[in-house]
Amino acid sequence: MKRFKTVHYTIHSDKIKDARGARFAVIADLHGVELGHENRKLLEIIDKYRPDGILIAGDMIVRNDSVTMETATVLLKRLAAQYPVYYALGNHEYKLYRSNPEENEIAEDYQEYESGLKAEGIHILHNESCELEVGKNRMIIHGLEIPLIYYKKPFSPKLHTEEVRELIGEPAKDTLNILLAHSPKYGNTYFDWGADLTLSGHYHGGIVRLGRHKGLLSPQLQPFPAFCCGDFHRDSQHMLVSAGAGEHTIPVRIHNPRELLIVDIKPSVPTNMLKE
């Protein structure tokens, strides 16, 4: 349960023009967990890798626990003091974001949480896109929020490419498109939409990890879900799914340590292979 590891990926793209490339730290599914007092262990690891930005793939909090917002706020503010931070909502944030603060006290807490993060310069992407330049490299970071019906248990509907376009528009043609999409269930749709790199979480590694890409169960109670954890590829497109930095409700991890992803994006090389 307490094991934590850093998973390092390098991907290559012909949309990266500068040999320096870009490096990102990717956090998903913290759920208010502390890795060391006030997440100092996590901060120390991130600082060691000196990323160009922090990408948040959702569920930093637990929707019925305002204390987790305090924990996430401390971490995110410290990160924002050193790095640009881009944050796409998971289903826990999204449910509170869409709730009426006048009827839900925790939803009101969430509005304060989000306002405080924005005041620190954190980019919270509500089906929005943000441009980032690292050296000579230009990237577009897209934050996808899908309606809660797509998280429904045990069955959720298909997400079609047209619906993603309606939510976040078309991907840029000659610029690297990074898609922060919390649920990995719709990986094929993200590829079809045109994401060069998709970053997801949500599945917590399947609770019981059965291999590099396989886990036992999704949050929708689907056994052996596709795109459960690890790296997935379609030609020059890539999808990385974190096993998560924390957990909630079912506090179980078997052969499935908590993860921080470090992602290097480099110019294309002849092998064009992604390596861990």
Side-chain angles (χ1 to χ4, degrees), residues 244-256:
E247 57 281 322
H248 71 99
T249 307
I250 304 176
V252 175
R253 286 179 174 268
I254 299 174
H255 305 302
N256 182 31

Side-chain angles (χ1 to χ4, degrees), residues 95-113:
K95 186 168 186 177
L96 292 175
Y97 176 67
R98 289 295 185 183
S99 296
N100 186 344
E102 296 179 358
E103 299 174 357
N104 185 334
E105 181 178 332
I106 294 182
E108 185 175 357
D109 292 341
Y110 177 78
Q111 297 297 336
E112 294 177 3
Y113 164 76

Side-chain angles (χ1 to χ4, degrees), residues 33-43 70-71 74-76 78:
V33 165
E34 285 187 293
L35 303 168
H37 178 64
E38 295 185 338
N39 275 301
R40 287 178 184 172
K41 179 180 178 181
L42 184 57
L43 288 163
E70 298 172 13
T71 303
V74 171
L75 172 64
L76 291 168
R78 289 182 179 175

Side-chain angles (χ1 to χ4, degrees), residues 7-253:
V7 181
H8 192 172
Y9 294 100
T10 300
I11 70 168
H12 300 270
S13 172
D14 59 10
K15 294 181 179 180
I16 295 295
K17 308 300 182 183
D18 187 334
R20 176 185 180 280
R23 170 174 286 179
F24 296 99
V26 182
I27 305 172
D29 301 285
L30 185 71
H31 290 297
V33 165
E34 285 187 293
L35 303 168
H37 178 64
E38 295 185 338
N39 275 301
R40 287 178 184 172
K41 179 180 178 181
L42 184 57
L43 288 163
E44 287 172 2
I45 294 172
I46 291 172
D47 288 341
K48 171 186 171 183
Y49 283 95
R50 301 176 63 85
D52 296 298
I54 310 296
L55 304 179
I56 307 295
D59 278 5
M60 295 294 285
I61 66 170
V62 177
R63 64 177 177 268
N64 58 1
D65 186 351
S66 58
V67 174
T68 62
M69 297 180 207
E70 298 172 13
T71 303
T73 295
V74 171
L75 172 64
L76 291 168
K77 285 185 175 181
R78 289 182 179 175
L79 288 171
Q82 301 182 70
Y83 312 101
V85 179
Y86 302 86
Y87 187 160
L89 272 55
N91 54 300
H92 281 254
E93 292 102 344
Y94 186 75
K95 186 168 186 177
L96 292 175
Y97 176 67
R98 289 295 185 183
S99 296
N100 186 344
E102 296 179 358
E103 299 174 357
N104 185 334
E105 181 178 332
I106 294 182
E108 185 175 357
D109 292 341
Y110 177 78
Q111 297 297 336
E112 294 177 3
Y113 164 76
E114 191 170 298
S115 296
L117 296 182
K118 288 180 178 178
E120 298 294 323
I122 293 171
H123 304 274
I124 299 181
L125 302 175
H126 294 297
N127 284 327
E128 296 169 308
S129 303
C130 195
E131 184 175 323
L132 173 65
E133 291 186 2
V134 178
K136 297 178 182 178
N137 301 307
R138 180 171 170 263
M139 290 154 276
I140 305 291
I141 301 171
H142 308 266
L144 177 65
E145 291 177 7
I146 55 177
L148 289 172
I149 192 172
Y150 293 104
Y151 294 100
K152 186 178 179 181
K153 301 176 184 178
F155 303 109
S156 53
K158 291 183 179 180
L159 177 69
H160 298 284
T161 309
E162 293 77 13
E163 293 168 274
V164 176
R165 291 194 186 106
E166 288 176 4
L167 291 169
I168 58 174
E170 296 279 358
K173 295 295 184 183
D174 300 317
T175 304
L176 188 83
N177 294 279
I178 300 175
L179 178 65
L180 303 180
H182 182 63
S183 174
K185 179 177 181 178
Y186 306 104
N188 285 322
T189 301
Y190 306 149
F191 282 135
D192 291 343
W193 175 76
D196 298 296
L197 171 62
T198 300
L199 300 167
S200 300
H202 187 52
Y203 281 4
H204 298 188
I207 301 175
V208 179
R209 193 85 169 254
L210 303 174
R212 177 168 176 159
H213 300 112
K214 295 181 179 180
L216 179 63
L217 198 66
S218 80
Q220 278 76 37
L221 307 179
Q222 177 188 3
F224 314 113
F227 302 111
C228 184
C229 43
D231 56 310
F232 305 90
H233 317 284
R234 181 193 286 183
D235 298 324
S236 61
Q237 296 173 283
H238 309 283
M239 180 176 182
L240 306 178
V241 182
S242 171
E247 57 281 322
H248 71 99
T249 307
I250 304 176
V252 175
R253 286 179 174 268

